[in-house]
Amino acid sequence: MKIAVCMKQVISPDAPLTVDERAGWIREAEFPRETNEPDLYALELALMLKDSHQGEVTVITVGPERAVATVRDALARGADHAIHIVDAEAFAREPLQTAQVIVKVIRETHYDMVLTGLQSTDFGHGQTGVMIAELLGLPHVSMVVEVTLEQNRLRARRELEAGSTQWWDISLPCVLTVQSGINRPRYAGVKGIMAAKKRLVRTVPLAEAHTAPLSSSLSCEAMIVPAARENMTLLSGATPEVVTQLAERLRAVLGH
Amino acid sequence: MSGTLIVVAECAGREIHPATWDAVALAQHLNPERLVAVALSSDAAGLETAFAARVHELWLVQDPRLADYSAEFYCPALQQVIDSLAPSWVIIPHTYQGRDFAPRLAARYGRSLLADCTAVVQDANGIAFMRPLFQGRLSARVRAVGEAPHFVSVQPGCCVRDGGGLAGGALRVERVTPRFDAAPPRTKGDPPQRAAHESVDLTRADAIVAVGRGIGSAGNLEMARRLADLLGAELAASRPVCDEAWLPIERQIGSSGLTVSPKLYVAIGISGAIQHLAGMRGAGTIVAINKDAKAPIFRVADIGVVGDLHEVVPALIQALESRRNG
């Protein structure tokens, strides 16, 4: 079983964001980075399938130099190979462009399965994985919460609205996009981290991953911090006063 | 607006997903010359009545293979309709189903999907859409560039519900027989499984205390439970808390869980990702306690407390208890 896992380095979800109003863009250089959380569940799913069915796991990322940290971390957790497509502008790419770049690299090797997180916690387009399936001409199941694999019969349970789910039979090779929270991503041990430092990350310059210019279909013109609700009552002050007021209001609402 | 707009209706049998009407309402705002709803199904009974006066045309794509949703059949069927209508925009409900097929469909036209739109902006340069970034902490104004068709998906509940629809003219109905490849399908879905619900029905609760990631640990749920007891409220959570298995998934509020509209909703340590807001914005009074003044939960809150929940909640419990005992 050869599995590719697409992973993205994102701005940490807890980082305080500020927008440069004139540029209409966040001040991105300033923020701490981490691996997109949904992608960690995709990686763990791949590693679990490798543990039970043998095979190898290749992680692929597109990003600037610093994004190598994401695939190094994946190697430390147990991935076998890592590919870093170096694109200084990756942050501003739209989903189809990212998918096109990744597909070029995926096509070089036969993978039985390509896994991605459901969406990124930064731009949240939620499209790249499904688009990779389309560009590769492969079937997909999105928002996967459980997978079984027996004698090459792959079944994936997909999340639906309001707590419902649906099992799908899907033929290999295929693409799955993985929902958060479906497993417990393993941590990298000290040994893994030390070993990963010595492992080779294959670096692919963007120019090599795509030759035709990437056409765009979306233009992000401005970013804003949405305002709080105008008629919100903000209770402020010292905690004792705040909770006294709040308790009053809660009782009023409930008619206690 | 000149040209043709397509709204992809989401139908399960004869049932129309309510998010379809958000997409229709958004399309109506754009005042199109020709607004076409496309419904894919095996059984179109009743659809004509539902769409009359809301769109100009209803295109019914009928085939037994469209009886149950599958991206493998939806994409080629929609492609056929798009190719014959040459629309400027294809508007898709941002539901679980829309999120599954829309990226594939857009990619067939060499386009990215303008996903998860919450509002439309019309200015001198034409049409742009607002969409959330960073899980709702920021919002971006995005415009489609390049050749039509453009693809946009609409966040359910974002628009004003349609206020009467389009004036004049009878609904024109067009029946389409899709052409599918002879190749056997590579995916096959079982019938959907409904979630097994606990005995408690949160959708009927008068008051709900909901906790988010900010609660920090399962141990801290105790204070939230105590607060809920004092308010006669049910305890609920946002997705991360249920992912950690601190509370059962039956108590999860949001698009992947329950949609509730209690009289009182107290959100503790919930930042307010759009998926969560989708499940609770209909509550009567929303109280938010969060340390981050910029958290999106404050955009729907009626009463906000910016502060450390580990300080505010125990103090609030004490205030409620002392009043009760005093």
Side-chain angles (χ1 to χ4, degrees), chain B residues 189-308:
Chain B
D190 292 355
Q193 301 173 334
R194 295 244 158 258
H197 283 285
E198 279 193 328
S199 49
V200 53
D201 186 357
L202 288 184
T203 61
R204 292 178 184 211
D206 254 359
I208 288 176
V209 170
V211 294
R213 200 195 284 269
I215 196 83
S217 73
N220 289 331
L221 280 178
E222 221 25 67
M223 64 176 170
R225 200 167 274 133
R226 179 73 193 128
L227 177 63
D229 285 347
L230 285 166
L231 296 172
E234 289 290 346
L235 190 61
S238 64
R239 176 159 201 135
V241 171
C242 297
D243 280 351
E244 293 286 347
W246 295 343
L247 274 179
I249 192 154
E250 290 80 12
R251 289 183 182 262
Q252 182 177 312
I253 307 295
S255 55
S256 55
L258 298 165
T259 300
V260 295
S261 46
K263 211 152 66 167
L264 172 68
Y265 192 92
V266 183
I268 301 174
I270 291 178
S271 66
I274 193 136
Q275 293 84 353
H276 183 74
L277 302 186
M280 47 67 77
R281 57 168 29 126
T285 300
I286 297 171
V287 178
I289 302 170
N290 201 296
K291 66 175 194 295
D292 177 8
K294 289 181 182 159
I297 191 76
F298 290 118
R299 300 206 295 271
V300 300
D302 300 285
I303 302 170
V305 177
V306 178
D308 181 356

Side-chain angles (χ1 to χ4, degrees), chain A residues 11-239:
Chain A
I11 291 172
S12 304
D14 298 330
L17 295 172
T18 50
V19 173
D20 178 345
E21 299 284 345
R22 281 174 62 191
W25 201 255
I26 52 169
R27 296 190 175 85
E28 50 177 290
E30 300 165 12
F31 305 118
R33 313 277 162 161
E34 62 183 53
T35 298
N36 181 44
E37 191 187 340
D39 301 343
L40 291 174
Y41 297 103
L43 174 64
E44 179 60 31
L45 176 59
L47 295 174
M48 287 164 72
L49 287 167
K50 177 186 144 184
D51 290 347
S52 54
H53 293 82
Q54 274 101 44
E56 47 189 58
V57 174
T58 302
V59 290
I60 303 171
T61 196
V62 188
E65 298 290 343
R66 63 167 175 265
V68 75
T70 282
V71 287
R72 283 233 179 268
D73 173 63
L75 287 172
R77 289 175 198 247
D80 301 285
H81 311 286
I83 302 173
H84 175 198
I85 302 166
V86 183
D87 175 8
E89 300 296 317
F91 195 67
R93 301 264 180 241
E94 57 189 69
L96 184 62
Q97 296 172 331
T98 308
Q100 285 167 336
V101 166
I102 291 173
V103 159
K104 276 272 169 59
V105 171
I106 288 181
R107 280 214 172 102
E108 295 169 1
T109 312
H110 174 84
Y111 295 103
D112 299 292
M113 220 184 274
V114 178
L115 304 182
T116 71
L118 160 75
Q119 61 185 23
S120 61
T121 54
D122 54 2
F123 281 68
H125 291 291
Q127 303 173 41
T128 309
V130 176
M131 285 177 158
I132 287 170
E134 176 63 28
L135 297 178
L136 290 172
L138 295 180
H140 82 274
V141 175
S142 66
M143 289 170 260
V144 168
V145 293
E146 193 179 349
V147 164
T148 62
L149 178 62
E150 283 160 22
Q151 272 103 44
N152 266 13
R153 185 188 180 202
L154 179 65
R155 304 245 303 152
R157 191 156 68 96
R158 175 168 189 261
E159 182 176 285
L160 300 175
E161 262 115 6
S164 300
T165 60
Q166 184 178 23
W167 279 101
W168 287 80
D169 274 293
I170 180 166
S171 64
L172 294 169
C174 71
V175 177
L176 304 179
T177 79
V178 175
Q179 177 59 283
S180 289
I182 77 162
N183 51 38
R184 303 264 129 189
R186 66 195 68 184
Y187 287 100
V190 176
K191 235 174 94 187
I193 294 169
M194 296 312 289
K197 280 187 181 157
K198 294 181 202 138
R199 302 271 289 285
L200 184 73
V201 173
R202 193 185 139 208
T203 302
V204 180
L206 180 68
E208 230 170 80
H210 82 94
T211 41
L214 293 167
S215 74
S216 55
S217 46
L218 306 177
S219 156
C220 179
E221 296 181 334
M223 289 188 197
I224 55 163
V225 181
R229 189 153 148 178
E230 269 173 27
N231 51 0
M232 180 180 80
T233 308
L234 183 66
L235 302 180
S236 54
T239 303

Side-chain angles (χ1 to χ4, degrees), chain B residues 172-196:
Chain B
R172 190 178 150 245
V173 179
E174 177 88 24
R175 283 170 206 281
V176 182
T177 307
R179 296 178 299 270
F180 292 123
D181 274 357
R186 294 175 293 175
T187 57
K188 188 173 183 328
D190 292 355
Q193 301 173 334
R194 295 244 158 258

